[in-house]
Amino acid sequence: MAAAVDLAPNQIVRALQLGNFEKAMTSDAIWTCVSCQTCSTRCPQSVDCAGIMDALREVSLQRGLASPAQKTVVAFQQAFLKNIQRNGRLDEIELIAEFKLRALPSQRSLRFLFKDASLAPLLQIRRKLHLRGEKVKDRALVRRVFERCKDGKHA
Amino acid sequence: MRLAYYPGCALHGSSNDYEQSLRACLGKLEVAPQEIQEWICCGATAAHALNHKLSIALPARNLALAEQQGFEDLLAPCPMCSMQLLKAAKLMDEDAGLRREISSVIEAEVSGRVKVLNLIQVFQRIGLDRLKPAVKNPLADLKPACYYGCLLTRPPDVVKFDDPEQPSSMEAIAAVLGAKPVDWNYRTECCGAGMTMAKEETVLELSQRILADAQQHGANCLVAACPMCHVNLDMKQGDIEERYGERFGLPVYYLTDLVGLALGISAEELGIDRHFVK
């Protein structure tokens, strides 16, 4: 993805080395990044650039620094985590609904809201559509795990 | 072979054709993976992008369950899941304090003795020498572009599998089946992964390059071992053709489809009739 972003992974690392955290944390790149691990794998200095991207996303989210253009991706990842927190496993239909509602304020378009609805019948005839997702039995345990991870940091 | 099975959310969701294929194919080879009871989502990109601790705790819980249920080997056919499981195991191996902390978070001990295997490694475990005589229908007409995507081989220090730049393990299996895998450039480039919903244009652009390169190098199909790669290259292929004004018409098979077909299993039994590109 390096060619398609405002700051390439090496430029992000350089900005951090120079103490320019703001520049790195507000970049589009950290939310455009698809976590393909290519930068970490190829870095001649063995810098874990993809791991740095994760850390930047986490801090950017905590400080509310994501720009409107990046908020759709943030909304998707947040909807995903909320979904697992409730069910233990992903419920695809619920995820799509929650993502669309979360992202709607920044997208502001009905086209966005209904864009993927046409996929439903195509998935249905292929027996790929599950109107009700699976849930684990001990969902209280899943909630406790999430609660204990709330601050994101470990010792 | 006693083998635990961690399907992950995709294989129990819209990628259930992958599970169908996997069960039919491995069943024919007398391998019956047993699903881990009460498995939970690995957290995928959402966890590692937003909450580091959760990205260790969720996979660790599944490793603990596999141990409790008496397994030593664990198949995770989704490379996202297998990478997250391996990463959690590695981080806890390197840090005893972290292992204790995560154990109390997930209310279970993880000794680290469970070995996580991707799909290709299961075929390697079965043995290509055993696979060869079982081939009933050599796939002589198939010229597959074997597509690894990102996480089967990356990050190399976590997954420790094949060569991250020039992998060859899938080609070796395809060759045993009588297919003629093509040499091409985009074997380990990313298809856009889980951005299908959140940033569709990224997926269309990256996947277009993969399909175009496969076509230019004479492939008549692609083979993947990842549910997300399959969604982006198969389900989205029509959208890609429309957006870029190109025609690919390249069927995308799961690796288990290819092995299954060669073993004499029908396309319907493998769920190939449920793919988008025929």
Side-chain angles (χ1 to χ4, degrees):
Chain A
M1 285 308 295
V5 290
D6 53 346
L7 280 184
N10 59 318
Q11 293 172 309
I12 293 208
V13 173
R14 191 67 181 143
L16 294 174
Q17 284 172 326
L18 296 171
N20 200 344
F21 299 109
E22 183 89 10
K23 186 175 181 179
M25 264 184 290
T26 55
S27 68
D28 279 329
I30 61 171
W31 298 103
T32 305
C33 160
V34 289
S35 304
C36 71
Q37 310 290 329
T38 306
C39 51
S40 297
T41 305
R42 291 184 183 164
C43 176
Q45 297 291 342
S46 304
V47 175
D48 180 12
C49 315
I52 289 173
M53 296 284 200
D54 279 335
L56 288 171
R57 282 186 280 249
E58 200 164 335
V59 179
S60 162
L61 181 72
Q62 284 159 7
R63 300 193 189 167
L65 292 173
S67 76
Q70 303 157 359
K71 282 202 167 111
T72 310
V73 179
V74 180
F76 182 81
Q77 309 297 15
Q78 285 178 315
F80 193 106
L81 279 191
K82 284 283 170 208
N83 199 290
I84 318 168
Q85 185 171 9
R86 274 198 307 275
N87 302 317
R89 296 177 191 171
L90 194 69
D91 182 322
E92 291 172 344
I93 304 264
E94 243 183 57
L95 167 67
I96 294 168
E98 187 167 351
F99 159 59
K100 298 269 174 174
L101 290 174
R102 276 175 179 264
L104 196 59
S106 55
Q107 288 278 337
R108 293 169 198 240
S109 99
L110 282 177
R111 195 188 159 269
F112 166 77
L113 196 59
F114 295 109
K115 192 174 76 63
D116 299 294
S118 59
L119 261 180
L122 299 175
L123 289 170
Q124 175 84 45
I125 56 166
R126 290 172 174 82
R127 304 195 303 282
K128 284 167 165 267
L129 194 73
H130 301 81
L131 293 177
R132 287 186 61 194
E134 291 178 5
K135 291 176 172 36
V136 293
K137 290 193 203 102
D138 195 353
R139 294 191 287 287
L141 173 113
V142 178
R143 282 195 296 276
R144 290 197 297 276
V145 170
F146 270 79
E147 181 62 27
R148 290 177 192 127
C149 292
K150 213 164 53 182
D151 65 355
K153 297 184 198 98
H154 58 75
Chain B
M1 188 194 309
R2 189 172 147 74
L3 187 62
Y5 171 48
Y6 177 76
C9 304
L11 274 78
H12 276 201
S14 53
S15 299
N16 56 3
D17 49 346
Y18 188 11
E19 177 169 89
Q20 181 183 344
S21 173
L22 182 109
R23 289 219 177 267
C25 175
L26 294 183
K28 192 90 174 173
L29 293 163
E30 290 163 6
V31 176
Q34 290 169 265
E35 189 171 319
I36 301 171
Q37 288 163 28
E38 280 286 280
W39 62 267
I40 58 174
C41 174
C42 74
T45 298
H48 75 68
L50 302 186
N51 187 319
H52 181 65
K53 192 166 170 182
L54 206 51
S55 76
I56 306 167
L58 295 174
R61 171 81 193 160
N62 295 301
L63 293 170
L65 290 173
E67 279 183 24
Q68 282 170 13
Q69 292 166 32
F71 294 103
E72 283 175 8
D73 295 307
L74 164 66
L75 164 62
C78 167
M80 181 82 214
C81 302
S82 61
M83 192 276 278
Q84 289 298 109
L85 291 163
L86 286 164
K87 195 164 161 189
K90 179 174 189 281
L91 290 172
M92 289 187 292
D93 278 346
E94 290 167 354
D95 183 344
L98 177 66
R99 188 187 296 285
R100 280 194 299 276
E101 188 187 346
I102 293 292
S103 286
S104 71
V105 167
I106 62 170
E107 302 175 23
E109 298 294 321
V110 195
S111 77
R113 69 167 181 272
V114 169
K115 188 165 168 47
V116 179
L117 302 170
N118 67 37
L119 178 66
I120 299 169
Q121 287 170 314
V122 168
F123 285 123
Q124 289 174 338
R125 185 75 72 92
I126 290 167
L128 301 196
D129 51 342
R130 225 190 102 196
L131 202 54
K132 198 167 188 171
V135 171
K136 284 191 185 140
N137 297 325
L139 308 174
D141 296 334
L142 281 194
K143 290 184 275 181
C146 295
Y147 177 59
Y148 297 78
C150 307
L151 302 178
L152 273 175
T153 63
R154 288 196 297 265
D157 61 329
V158 173
V159 297
K160 297 188 172 72
F161 175 69
D162 210 333
D163 183 313
E165 301 290 351
Q166 293 286 350
S168 58
S169 50
M170 236 193 289
E171 279 86 352
I173 296 172
V176 163
L177 308 174
K180 295 178 184 65
V182 302
D183 199 9
W184 66 308
N185 297 318
Y186 275 63
R187 279 181 286 182
T188 61
E189 295 296 314
C190 180
C191 67
M195 290 289 191
T196 321
M197 277 272 146
K199 245 189 162 71
E200 189 192 28
E201 64 277 14
T202 300
V203 164
L204 298 182
E205 187 183 339
L206 295 181
S207 295
Q208 183 272 342
R209 293 185 205 162
I210 293 163
L211 292 167
D213 192 70
Q215 192 175 51
Q216 279 160 20
H217 288 84
N220 58 11
C221 63
L222 281 96
V223 191
C226 170
M228 283 178 295
C229 298
H230 195 270
V231 163
N232 291 338
L233 296 169
D234 176 55
M235 187 179 90
K236 288 284 170 189
Q237 197 173 128
D239 291 342
I240 295 165
E241 290 178 332
E242 195 178 319
R243 179 177 167 132
Y244 291 94
E246 289 171 287
R247 169 91 186 127
F248 296 115
L250 288 170
V252 185
Y253 299 110
Y254 297 110
L255 181 60
T256 45
D257 293 335
L258 228 59
V259 177
L261 287 171
L263 296 177
I265 307 172
S266 73
E268 290 73 27
E269 272 177 274
L270 291 161
I272 295 173
D273 55 331
R274 297 163 62 204
H275 297 179
F276 280 74
V277 182
K278 298 279 163 33

